[in-house]
Amino acid sequence: MLRGLVIGKFMPIHNGHIALVNFAASKCDELIVSMSYTDTDPISGKLRFEWIIEIFKGNPSIKPAIVKDDFDDDSLPLKERTKLWSSFLMRRYPAVDVIISSEEYGPPLAEYLGASHITFDMDRTTVPISATMIRKHPLINWEFIPAVVRPYYVSKICIYGAESTGKSTIVEFLAEKYQTEFVPEVAREFITSNDFTVEDIIRIGIAHNQRITDKAKVANRLLFCDTDVITTQIYCRHYLGTIPQILYELERQTTYSKYFLMDIDVAWVADGLRDLSDSRQIMMNIFKEELDKRGIVYQIIRGPYRERERQICEVIDQMIME
């Protein structure tokens, strides 16, 4: 049996890595895919390893493995570093017959392991991408990110503010324009009046977060959200005089890339649920204060609806290119 080895940090795994692993698997009977991690990695080692397992679960000849990187010394020349690596790998894995890589470390590592070396796409012409490029510019390089990894990089955009400021209309418009998904105001699926309980509010908060998780799995780069859990907290305090602790826990579970605070300089539209037409400025101040006290950066959006759309799209277009 011919045993091969591919090593890497896979931070994150991308389509170039997948092409490498599939090529390597075609050259041997069993392929060890060894992922190294440290406790300070910007992406959790556990999460990266879960991605690898999911991607290659259909090929039993591919054997994912995870190792803590406490054996390297990046102050050494490459030749000496690969010697350290080989010592660790010989202790960690069965004898390896071939190393497959796209990196300069491949030949010296293979030599120390007494294995042959096969080079794959060293010039990155087959799949022109790197993990560094994805970490720096995930939205630009979206096509190179595997489906299982994409939810990690989806940019969540919160359209935030008081009642009757156009949030629902704008999130639908943005989702259509950028060919992606949106999360509606989930509260409206649970209540039909402002006579609700703390238990209702908790259900709304949990459902809202679950909807974000579900939509992020199928979103195209961006996910537009009509309000957030802070909004749920505000209305819970206003109507019930309390905020259950779980709403703060739910708040910590979602991070938004951008906040757009809708101003109240548009006409009030009654809909049977809204009842704060006489308190618009007070509520606007409360919504703003909640962002300010958390140190959340936001942009206030004013003007007619078309102008609001234009302002937001200008920011989103720039964000995609960053």
Side-chain angles (χ1 to χ4, degrees), residues 154-254:
V154 166
S155 287
K156 302 175 185 69
I157 314 297
C158 185
I159 307 301
Y160 173 89
E163 295 176 334
S164 194
T165 52
K167 299 184 298 297
S168 299
T169 301
I170 286 175
V171 294
E172 292 189 39
F173 163 81
L174 293 169
E176 182 176 356
K177 176 178 175 60
Y178 292 98
Q179 299 179 14
T180 188
E181 300 289 331
F182 71 93
V183 175
E185 187 179 5
V186 176
R188 290 179 175 271
E189 300 173 11
F190 286 79
I191 58 175
T192 57
S193 74
N194 289 318
D195 181 18
F196 50 79
T197 66
V198 170
E199 288 71 26
D200 293 329
I201 286 289
I202 292 172
R203 283 194 291 271
I204 290 167
I206 291 172
H208 181 86
N209 269 29
Q210 185 60 51
R211 191 71 57 84
I212 291 172
T213 298
D214 294 342
K215 290 287 189 176
K217 293 177 181 177
V218 292
N220 174 27
R221 300 188 293 182
L222 308 166
L223 178 61
F224 296 100
C225 302
D226 182 348
T227 74
D228 64 351
V229 177
I230 299 174
T231 301
T232 309
Q233 295 169 16
I234 290 171
Y235 287 121
C236 188
R237 182 177 59 206
H238 178 81
Y239 288 105
L240 300 177
T242 186
I243 300 175
Q245 183 61 35
I246 190 173
L247 293 188
Y248 294 109
E249 296 168 9
L250 292 170
E251 180 188 341
R252 289 190 286 271
Q253 293 176 17
T254 301

